[in-house]
Amino acid sequence: MTHHSSQVSADLIWEIARHQNSYLVKRASSGGVRFSRDPLNLTNVHSRKYAGFVNDKAIGVAPAEGDKGGVMLITKKTKHPQRPGSSVNKVTFGGNKTTRKTYKGIVSSTAKSGYRSDLRAEAVSRASAIRLSQTPKKDAPEKKLRGAKAKKAAAEKDE
């Protein structure tokens, strides 16, 4: 994470680091879109609202390690900004939990700790996308014959 000082505001850090930082990914295609690789960025969009390395109270959601999958909630501690190694708190919601309990845990843990309420919907949608990517995909069912082809197949089956 980045170095924060009590004498430097988050807005000043953003103005200095917004054009060039280690999390920024620029794409020449699609009109020069900018993405973010910040682990505390919920939407991976390079903007002041979602920049986790700038905001004092940032939330991140990542896939949990392990066989069963699950989601890991990453929250940034504001108590000791000068200690970047211990300024992150990680809570894992296992893959054996229901999705509703996972979402409720994410929302309640961020609400009780006073984290930004405007990021809760993005945190839940990110957790939902991660859980959806961890489920095994089913094969597409065989297409049923319709109309004249169905009548022809039924006639052939009767004979």
Side-chain angles (χ1 to χ4, degrees):
M1 300 295 130
T2 59
H3 173 75
H4 286 281
S5 172
S6 60
Q7 298 175 356
V8 179
S9 71
D11 292 326
L12 180 62
I13 293 171
W14 173 250
E15 285 300 320
I16 292 170
R18 75 180 184 150
H19 295 295
Q20 186 176 11
N21 59 58
S22 61
Y23 299 122
L24 180 61
V25 179
K26 296 180 182 179
R27 295 282 181 244
S29 61
S30 304
V33 178
R34 293 176 171 192
F35 296 109
S36 176
R37 287 192 181 124
D38 189 359
L40 296 174
N41 189 330
L42 292 169
T43 58
N44 292 338
V45 174
H46 182 67
S47 70
R48 169 71 173 91
K49 178 181 178 181
Y50 300 114
F53 71 97
V54 172
N55 293 313
D56 292 336
K57 291 201 167 194
I59 307 168
V61 179
E65 294 87 18
D67 297 336
K68 291 189 175 186
V71 175
M72 182 170 37
L73 176 68
I74 306 166
T75 53
K76 192 173 181 183
K77 296 180 195 174
T78 57
K79 194 170 187 179
H80 302 291
Q82 306 298 333
R83 302 178 194 166
S86 63
S87 68
V88 175
N89 187 22
K90 297 179 181 181
V91 178
T92 303
F93 300 99
N96 55 352
K97 263 193 173 180
T98 62
T99 53
R100 285 182 67 138
K101 284 187 179 180
T102 302
Y103 305 153
K104 184 182 178 210
I106 289 172
V107 169
S108 64
S109 64
T110 55
K112 288 175 185 174
S113 302
Y115 282 89
R116 295 171 43 200
S117 61
D118 60 334
L119 295 179
R120 289 184 196 142
E122 284 89 353
V124 170
S125 66
R126 176 126 175 145
S128 173
I130 290 171
R131 288 295 298 260
L132 185 66
S133 70
Q134 292 172 344
T135 57
K137 302 296 178 233
K138 295 180 183 177
D139 293 333
E142 223 178 277
K143 283 194 168 186
K144 293 182 180 178
L145 297 174
R146 305 285 182 198
K149 291 182 181 178
K151 289 178 185 175
K152 185 179 176 184
E156 288 177 5
K157 196 175 188 181
D158 289 340
E159 294 175 3

